[in-house]
Tab-separated table of all heavy atoms in Angstrom:
chain	number	residue	atom	x	y	z
H	64	ILE	N	-126.135	71.912	57.847
H	64	ILE	CA	-125.290	70.933	57.175
H	64	ILE	C	-124.894	71.429	55.789
H	64	ILE	O	-125.729	71.921	55.030
H	64	ILE	CB	-126.016	69.576	57.070
H	64	ILE	CG1	-126.281	69.020	58.483
H	64	ILE	CG2	-125.208	68.576	56.247
H	64	ILE	CD1	-127.162	67.784	58.502
H	65	ILE	N	-123.598	71.307	55.479
H	65	ILE	CA	-123.086	71.642	54.154
H	65	ILE	C	-122.719	70.349	53.448
H	65	ILE	O	-121.824	69.621	53.894
H	65	ILE	CB	-121.847	72.556	54.238
H	65	ILE	CG1	-122.158	73.831	55.023
H	65	ILE	CG2	-121.341	72.896	52.837
H	65	ILE	CD1	-120.930	74.673	55.324
H	66	SER	N	-123.410	70.046	52.367
H	66	SER	CA	-123.070	68.867	51.565
H	66	SER	C	-121.795	69.155	50.786
H	66	SER	O	-121.676	70.175	50.114
H	66	SER	CB	-124.214	68.548	50.599
H	66	SER	OG	-123.810	67.583	49.653
H	67	VAL	N	-120.827	68.244	50.892
H	67	VAL	CA	-119.568	68.392	50.157
H	67	VAL	C	-119.502	67.243	49.155
H	67	VAL	O	-118.873	66.207	49.384
H	67	VAL	CB	-118.350	68.394	51.097
H	67	VAL	CG1	-117.071	68.708	50.310
H	67	VAL	CG2	-118.540	69.408	52.223
H	68	ASP	N	-120.211	67.425	48.064
H	68	ASP	CA	-120.356	66.376	47.055
H	68	ASP	C	-120.339	67.028	45.674
H	68	ASP	O	-121.191	67.864	45.364
H	68	ASP	CB	-121.668	65.612	47.268
H	68	ASP	CG	-121.801	64.405	46.369
H	68	ASP	OD1	-121.827	64.598	45.129
H	68	ASP	OD2	-121.913	63.279	46.881
H	69	SER	N	-119.378	66.637	44.849
H	69	SER	CA	-119.183	67.302	43.559
H	69	SER	C	-120.276	66.989	42.546
H	69	SER	O	-120.271	67.560	41.446
H	69	SER	CB	-117.824	66.899	42.966
H	69	SER	OG	-117.773	65.497	42.746
H	70	ARG	N	-121.218	66.113	42.883
H	70	ARG	CA	-122.342	65.827	41.997
H	70	ARG	C	-123.645	66.422	42.527
H	70	ARG	O	-124.502	66.851	41.761
H	70	ARG	CB	-122.502	64.316	41.812
H	70	ARG	CG	-121.278	63.616	41.216
H	70	ARG	CD	-120.939	64.129	39.841
H	70	ARG	NE	-119.736	63.500	39.296
H	70	ARG	CZ	-118.553	64.068	39.254
H	70	ARG	NH1	-118.391	65.299	39.710
H	70	ARG	NH2	-117.510	63.443	38.734
H	71	GLN	N	-123.765	66.473	43.835
H	71	GLN	CA	-125.001	66.994	44.427
H	71	GLN	C	-125.136	68.502	44.269
H	71	GLN	O	-126.209	69.055	44.503
H	71	GLN	CB	-125.091	66.601	45.904
H	71	GLN	CG	-125.261	65.106	46.112
H	71	GLN	CD	-125.458	64.728	47.561
H	71	GLN	OE1	-125.513	65.584	48.449
H	71	GLN	NE2	-125.564	63.436	47.827
H	72	ILE	N	-124.074	69.168	43.845
H	72	ILE	CA	-124.172	70.613	43.582
H	72	ILE	C	-125.037	70.894	42.362
H	72	ILE	O	-125.499	72.023	42.173
H	72	ILE	CB	-122.784	71.252	43.377
H	72	ILE	CG1	-122.111	70.676	42.130
H	72	ILE	CG2	-121.918	71.103	44.611
H	72	ILE	CD1	-120.902	71.461	41.674
H	73	PHE	N	-125.282	69.870	41.535
H	73	PHE	CA	-126.023	70.084	40.295
H	73	PHE	C	-127.526	69.876	40.488
H	73	PHE	O	-127.959	68.897	41.095
H	73	PHE	CB	-125.520	69.148	39.206
H	73	PHE	CG	-124.118	69.451	38.748
H	73	PHE	CD1	-123.085	68.576	39.030
H	73	PHE	CD2	-123.840	70.624	38.065
H	73	PHE	CE1	-121.787	68.857	38.620
H	73	PHE	CE2	-122.553	70.916	37.651
H	73	PHE	CZ	-121.517	70.035	37.929
H	74	LYS	N	-128.285	70.792	39.942
H	74	LYS	CA	-129.734	70.658	39.931
H	74	LYS	C	-130.126	69.475	39.046
H	74	LYS	O	-129.452	69.171	38.060
H	74	LYS	CB	-130.382	71.941	39.392
H	74	LYS	CG	-130.074	73.189	40.207
H	74	LYS	CD	-130.630	74.433	39.527
H	74	LYS	CE	-130.247	75.703	40.276
H	74	LYS	NZ	-130.721	76.927	39.594
H	75	HIS	N	-131.215	68.823	39.402
H	75	HIS	CA	-131.835	67.757	38.607
H	75	HIS	C	-131.086	66.429	38.668
H	75	HIS	O	-131.601	65.432	38.175
H	75	HIS	CB	-132.010	68.176	37.138
H	75	HIS	CG	-132.658	69.511	36.957
H	75	HIS	ND1	-133.959	69.771	37.369
H	75	HIS	CD2	-132.192	70.681	36.443
H	75	HIS	CE1	-134.259	71.019	37.097
H	75	HIS	NE2	-133.206	71.607	36.542
H	76	ILE	N	-129.881	66.408	39.240
H	76	ILE	CA	-129.186	65.122	39.407
H	76	ILE	C	-129.440	64.686	40.844
H	76	ILE	O	-128.609	64.863	41.742
H	76	ILE	CB	-127.682	65.248	39.100
H	76	ILE	CG1	-127.475	65.743	37.673
H	76	ILE	CG2	-126.974	63.907	39.287
H	76	ILE	CD1	-126.029	65.866	37.255
H	77	ASP	N	-130.608	64.171	41.074
H	77	ASP	CA	-131.059	63.838	42.423
H	77	ASP	C	-130.866	62.359	42.743
H	77	ASP	O	-130.243	62.002	43.744
H	77	ASP	CB	-132.529	64.219	42.599
H	77	ASP	CG	-132.779	65.704	42.329
H	77	ASP	OD1	-131.845	66.504	42.544
H	77	ASP	OD2	-133.892	66.043	41.898
H	78	ILE	N	-131.370	61.506	41.878
H	78	ILE	CA	-131.256	60.071	42.103
H	78	ILE	C	-129.821	59.616	41.856
H	78	ILE	O	-129.237	58.878	42.660
H	78	ILE	CB	-132.246	59.311	41.203
H	78	ILE	CG1	-133.678	59.712	41.548
H	78	ILE	CG2	-132.063	57.799	41.351
H	78	ILE	CD1	-134.724	59.200	40.586
H	79	GLY	N	-129.239	60.090	40.767
H	79	GLY	CA	-127.885	59.674	40.426
H	79	GLY	C	-126.825	60.082	41.429
H	79	GLY	O	-125.764	59.466	41.502
H	80	SER	N	-127.102	61.106	42.211
H	80	SER	CA	-126.137	61.563	43.224
H	80	SER	C	-126.555	61.169	44.637
H	80	SER	O	-125.874	61.541	45.592
H	80	SER	CB	-125.972	63.089	43.147
H	80	SER	OG	-127.164	63.742	43.566
H	81	ALA	N	-127.663	60.436	44.762
H	81	ALA	CA	-128.197	60.057	46.073
H	81	ALA	C	-128.421	61.292	46.948
H	81	ALA	O	-128.118	61.303	48.142
H	81	ALA	CB	-127.280	59.062	46.783
H	82	LYS	N	-128.972	62.331	46.342
H	82	LYS	CA	-129.187	63.602	47.042
H	82	LYS	C	-130.264	63.447	48.124
H	82	LYS	O	-131.272	62.773	47.936
H	82	LYS	CB	-129.604	64.667	46.034
H	82	LYS	CG	-129.590	66.099	46.541
H	82	LYS	CD	-130.005	67.053	45.415
H	82	LYS	CE	-129.020	67.036	44.266
H	82	LYS	NZ	-129.476	67.889	43.127
H	83	ILE	N	-130.048	64.079	49.252
H	83	ILE	CA	-131.015	64.025	50.344
H	83	ILE	C	-132.330	64.676	49.905
H	83	ILE	O	-132.338	65.679	49.188
H	83	ILE	CB	-130.452	64.717	51.606
H	83	ILE	CG1	-131.354	64.456	52.821
H	83	ILE	CG2	-130.214	66.205	51.377
H	83	ILE	CD1	-130.744	64.910	54.144
H	84	THR	N	-133.450	64.100	50.341
H	84	THR	CA	-134.763	64.658	50.010
H	84	THR	C	-135.193	65.660	51.075
H	84	THR	O	-134.618	65.701	52.171
H	84	THR	CB	-135.816	63.545	49.915
H	84	THR	OG1	-135.988	62.956	51.225
H	84	THR	CG2	-135.391	62.464	48.925
H	85	GLU	N	-136.208	66.451	50.761
H	85	GLU	CA	-136.719	67.413	51.738
H	85	GLU	C	-137.210	66.712	52.994
H	85	GLU	O	-136.995	67.182	54.110
H	85	GLU	CB	-137.839	68.245	51.115
H	85	GLU	CG	-137.370	69.275	50.106
H	85	GLU	CD	-136.393	70.272	50.705
H	85	GLU	OE1	-136.611	70.718	51.853
H	85	GLU	OE2	-135.400	70.602	50.032
H	86	ALA	N	-137.871	65.572	52.818
H	86	ALA	CA	-138.372	64.831	53.980
H	86	ALA	C	-137.223	64.333	54.847
H	86	ALA	O	-137.294	64.378	56.087
H	86	ALA	CB	-139.231	63.665	53.511
H	87	GLU	N	-136.158	63.871	54.207
H	87	GLU	CA	-135.011	63.337	54.961
H	87	GLU	C	-134.274	64.426	55.732
H	87	GLU	O	-133.626	64.142	56.747
H	87	GLU	CB	-134.052	62.631	54.010
H	87	GLU	CG	-134.601	61.326	53.448
H	87	GLU	CD	-133.756	60.778	52.314
H	87	GLU	OE1	-132.997	61.557	51.680
H	87	GLU	OE2	-133.860	59.566	52.038
H	88	LYS	N	-134.357	65.665	55.274
H	88	LYS	CA	-133.678	66.762	55.973
H	88	LYS	C	-134.273	67.007	57.363
H	88	LYS	O	-133.591	67.554	58.242
H	88	LYS	CB	-133.779	68.049	55.159
H	88	LYS	CG	-132.988	68.032	53.864
H	88	LYS	CD	-133.214	69.331	53.078
H	88	LYS	CE	-132.541	69.311	51.734
H	88	LYS	NZ	-132.801	70.549	50.945
H	89	GLN	N	-135.513	66.655	57.550
H	89	GLN	CA	-136.209	66.821	58.834
H	89	GLN	C	-136.095	68.245	59.383
H	89	GLN	O	-135.901	68.461	60.580
H	89	GLN	CB	-135.687	65.796	59.850
H	89	GLN	CG	-135.949	64.350	59.423
H	89	GLN	CD	-135.672	63.345	60.497
H	89	GLN	OE1	-136.021	63.551	61.659
H	89	GLN	NE2	-135.035	62.236	60.123
H	90	GLY	N	-136.182	69.202	58.467
H	90	GLY	CA	-136.184	70.602	58.868
H	90	GLY	C	-134.823	71.213	59.114
H	90	GLY	O	-134.730	72.407	59.433
H	91	ILE	N	-133.761	70.441	58.969
H	91	ILE	CA	-132.414	70.967	59.199
H	91	ILE	C	-131.928	71.667	57.930
H	91	ILE	O	-131.941	71.074	56.849
H	91	ILE	CB	-131.446	69.830	59.590
H	91	ILE	CG1	-131.891	69.206	60.911
H	91	ILE	CG2	-130.011	70.355	59.702
H	91	ILE	CD1	-131.139	67.950	61.273
H	92	PRO	N	-131.489	72.921	58.034
H	92	PRO	CA	-131.020	73.638	56.841
H	92	PRO	C	-129.834	72.932	56.190
H	92	PRO	O	-128.907	72.489	56.873
H	92	PRO	CB	-130.612	75.007	57.387
H	92	PRO	CG	-131.388	75.160	58.656
H	92	PRO	CD	-131.481	73.783	59.233
H	93	HIS	N	-129.881	72.831	54.868
H	93	HIS	CA	-128.798	72.214	54.101
H	93	HIS	C	-128.266	73.205	53.068
H	93	HIS	O	-129.019	73.990	52.502
H	93	HIS	CB	-129.293	70.949	53.397
H	93	HIS	CG	-129.290	69.737	54.271
H	93	HIS	ND1	-130.122	69.590	55.377
H	93	HIS	CD2	-128.545	68.598	54.211
H	93	HIS	CE1	-129.897	68.413	55.939
H	93	HIS	NE2	-128.948	67.799	55.256
H	94	HIS	N	-126.964	73.119	52.830
H	94	HIS	CA	-126.293	73.977	51.861
H	94	HIS	C	-125.458	73.102	50.923
H	94	HIS	O	-125.205	71.940	51.207
H	94	HIS	CB	-125.397	74.985	52.576
H	94	HIS	CG	-126.077	75.744	53.680
H	94	HIS	ND1	-126.787	76.900	53.458
H	94	HIS	CD2	-126.174	75.495	55.019
H	94	HIS	CE1	-127.284	77.346	54.610
H	94	HIS	NE2	-126.926	76.505	55.572
H	95	GLY	N	-125.029	73.670	49.826
H	95	GLY	CA	-124.185	72.943	48.888
H	95	GLY	C	-124.942	72.073	47.916
H	95	GLY	O	-124.321	71.299	47.170
H	96	LEU	N	-126.260	72.189	47.898
H	96	LEU	CA	-127.100	71.398	46.997
H	96	LEU	C	-127.685	72.293	45.905
H	96	LEU	O	-128.023	73.451	46.174
H	96	LEU	CB	-128.237	70.737	47.773
H	96	LEU	CG	-127.854	69.855	48.963
H	96	LEU	CD1	-129.098	69.457	49.737
H	96	LEU	CD2	-127.092	68.622	48.498
H	97	ASP	N	-127.818	71.741	44.708
H	97	ASP	CA	-128.515	72.438	43.614
H	97	ASP	C	-127.965	73.841	43.356
H	97	ASP	O	-128.717	74.797	43.154
H	97	ASP	CB	-130.013	72.519	43.932
H	97	ASP	CG	-130.639	71.144	44.106
H	97	ASP	OD1	-130.222	70.215	43.391
H	97	ASP	OD2	-131.534	71.001	44.959
H	98	LEU	N	-126.667	73.953	43.334
H	98	LEU	CA	-126.046	75.267	43.128
H	98	LEU	C	-125.946	75.654	41.649
H	98	LEU	O	-125.925	76.838	41.329
H	98	LEU	CB	-124.629	75.283	43.735
H	98	LEU	CG	-124.523	75.022	45.238
H	98	LEU	CD1	-123.061	75.066	45.658
H	98	LEU	CD2	-125.344	76.029	46.033
H	99	LYS	N	-125.861	74.647	40.778
H	99	LYS	CA	-125.627	74.938	39.367
H	99	LYS	C	-126.457	74.015	38.477
H	99	LYS	O	-126.814	72.904	38.888
H	99	LYS	CB	-124.135	74.740	39.023
H	99	LYS	CG	-123.191	75.745	39.666
H	99	LYS	CD	-121.745	75.391	39.373
H	99	LYS	CE	-120.788	76.457	39.898
H	99	LYS	NZ	-120.751	77.651	39.057
H	100	ASN	N	-126.711	74.480	37.270
H	100	ASN	CA	-127.307	73.617	36.267
H	100	ASN	C	-126.252	72.632	35.755
H	100	ASN	O	-125.047	72.930	35.804
H	100	ASN	CB	-127.869	74.429	35.104
H	100	ASN	CG	-129.235	75.018	35.408
H	100	ASN	OD1	-130.042	74.420	36.121
H	100	ASN	ND2	-129.499	76.196	34.860
Side-chain angles (χ1 to χ4, degrees):
I64 297 172
I65 303 171
S66 169
V67 186
D68 187 298
S69 61
R70 301 299 178 258
Q71 293 184 2
I72 64 167
F73 292 111
K74 300 174 184 177
H75 310 297
I76 301 182
D77 302 331
I78 298 171
S80 68
K82 192 179 296 176
I83 190 170
T84 66
E85 287 301 319
E87 290 169 339
K88 292 177 185 178
Q89 298 190 42
I91 297 171
H93 277 66
H94 309 273
L96 304 171
D97 301 324
L98 300 180
K99 292 175 175 283
N100 279 326

